[in-house]
Amino acid sequence: MIVFPDFLTREQAEGVPSPRKTSHTNCKGKVLGMKIDVVVVGGGPAGLSAALILGRCRRQVLLCDDDQPRNRASRAIHGLLGHEGLPPSAFLEEARQELTRYKSVSFRGTRVTDITPAEDGFAFDCADGTGGVASKVLLATGIVDDLPDIAGVGDLYGVSVHHCLYCDGFEYVGKPVAALGKGDKGADLAVMMKHWIADVVACSDGTEVSGDAARKLKQHGIPLRSEPVVALEGTRGLLTKIKFKSGPDLERSGLFFSTGCHQASDLSLRLGCVRDEKGGVITDPATEETSVPGVYVAGDVSRDVLLVSIAIAEGAKAAVAINKAFLRRDGFCD
């Protein structure tokens, strides 16, 4: 991974105009020095895609990422044209390398800890001491999956225990799997999985399912195990059996769960961005901005379709919207 120790040092070394050094104050009265066009918070597919487009638009961009991608436990990316089966780490490394071509884009391996309105933009602070003012903010901070609180999950997650049927379901065609979720969540997931996989068992983990869910399970020939799940067993990341508080063990090759997820960062909340009922940040379809002018989002933080390909597209779309806003500001377009 290529990390440049200081934004100004890289710009000076490569002969690109340095970020403007002017005096700015944030809403807390803190004096700030570095002035850039855009700070991109999060260096996953969405943030990297946005940085690429903004770099090609010759915008001064600082991309900050703390190396905690949602899919870091996965062995491979699926459903991404041209990169099918590529390990997530290899994808990120390749994308970061591509960004080094654009001299106005810099990368720092750090977490953005605070963003507040400033005199003519947004003041930002990072865990490594980096700080400054950006005219625009792009939040590509992603989400975190809520792993089931079951012994053994951590050793299997990303290899044979998964959260995304679209990402990993195809690999289990012809294999025995389970769908885990409280109440109707596991049952609904099991019914959907039946299209991909013939041998599916629904696990409600000590909770009851509704009459409608039970009817659907019976209609599709899906068994239900309602006993509490106490452990998952396997070797080298490969699930072999599910153990219940009572009743026989269930031999399975894979498990998909529906236990929810949450925003990886509270920056959008602290900035006052309006969210929908699922917790996703709402954007204006005309400007792509959030409810806070100058703040944009892309990728899983929007909580729309949670695929790498969609995150890349959302990052590019947000970057184009940001550049158009700059062009309007500077009188280059209406």
Side-chain angles (χ1 to χ4, degrees):
M1 179 175 66
I2 298 177
V3 179
F4 298 93
D6 184 87
F7 188 98
L8 186 58
T9 299
R10 180 180 185 223
E11 297 305 293
Q12 290 174 329
E14 300 197 16
V16 177
S18 301
R20 297 184 293 279
K21 287 283 187 175
T22 54
S23 179
H24 301 272
T25 59
N26 65 4
C27 62
K28 298 178 182 178
K30 181 179 178 180
V31 178
L32 302 154
M34 184 197 307
K35 181 69 171 70
I36 59 174
D37 292 325
V38 187
V39 59
V40 178
V41 187
L48 290 164
S49 176
L52 174 62
I53 299 299
L54 290 168
R56 294 186 62 81
C57 292
R58 303 182 66 198
R59 300 299 176 186
Q60 294 281 358
V61 179
L62 179 61
L63 174 64
C64 298
D65 182 70
D66 61 355
D67 201 27
Q68 294 295 310
R70 181 191 184 197
N71 64 354
R72 62 186 179 276
S74 298
R75 287 185 171 180
I77 295 173
H78 295 296
L80 181 59
L81 194 63
H83 294 288
E84 178 64 27
L86 187 71
S89 59
F91 171 83
L92 295 175
E93 178 65 24
E94 182 179 326
R96 290 170 183 170
Q97 184 62 41
E98 289 173 353
L99 286 179
T100 62
R101 172 184 176 187
Y102 301 96
K103 299 177 181 179
S104 64
V105 178
S106 287
F107 175 87
R108 292 194 71 88
T110 187
R111 178 173 57 89
V112 175
T113 56
D114 195 26
I115 301 176
T116 55
E119 182 180 334
D120 57 352
F122 299 88
F124 63 90
D125 294 298
C126 303
D128 69 350
T130 302
V133 174
S135 297
K136 308 286 185 185
V137 173
L138 175 60
L139 300 177
T141 46
I143 59 176
V144 176
D145 293 292
D146 299 325
L147 295 183
D149 186 17
I150 298 172
V153 166
D155 294 333
L156 305 173
Y157 180 53
V159 182
S160 58
V161 172
H162 311 277
H163 62 264
C164 178
L165 184 58
Y166 286 94
C167 298
D168 299 290
F170 182 84
E171 279 63 43
Y172 290 90
V173 173
K175 300 178 181 180
V177 299
L180 175 70
K182 299 284 189 179
D184 287 0
K185 287 186 176 181
D188 291 343
L189 178 59
V191 171
M192 184 170 65
M193 289 170 64
K194 193 69 175 181
H195 168 73
W196 277 267
I197 307 160
D199 187 356
V200 181
V201 174
C203 300
S204 60
D205 195 19
T207 62
E208 298 297 323
V209 302
S210 68
D212 186 54
R215 179 186 59 79
K216 290 180 181 178
L217 291 174
K218 184 177 180 180
Q219 177 185 346
H220 292 281
I222 301 172
L224 172 66
R225 295 289 301 269
S226 60
E227 311 97 309
V229 178
V230 296
L232 303 180
E233 291 186 356
T235 57
R236 298 182 180 179
L238 300 177
L239 176 68
T240 56
K241 67 176 64 175
I242 301 173
K243 299 184 73 66
F244 299 88
K245 187 174 182 179
S246 60
D249 296 344
L250 179 64
E251 294 186 357
R252 298 284 96 176
S253 296
L255 180 144
F256 288 80
F257 62 86
S258 178
T259 55
C261 53
H262 62 273
Q263 297 280 354
S265 169
D266 67 349
L267 289 175
S268 65
L269 185 64
R270 285 193 274 153
L271 281 165
C273 300
V274 176
R275 300 186 184 189
D276 60 25
E277 65 279 2
K278 293 182 179 180
V281 179
I282 297 174
T283 57
D284 187 316
T287 66
E288 299 295 328
E289 288 178 300
T290 67
S291 59
V292 179
V295 178
Y296 301 75
V297 296
D300 288 354
V301 69
S302 70
R303 294 194 66 169
D304 192 6
V305 179
L306 308 181
L307 293 173
V308 172
S309 55
I310 300 299
I312 292 172
E314 286 190 2
K317 189 177 181 181
V320 169
I322 290 170
N323 190 61
K324 285 183 176 179
F326 283 130
L327 293 175
R328 288 192 295 269
R329 179 198 68 183
D330 298 335
F332 291 111
C333 71
D334 296 328

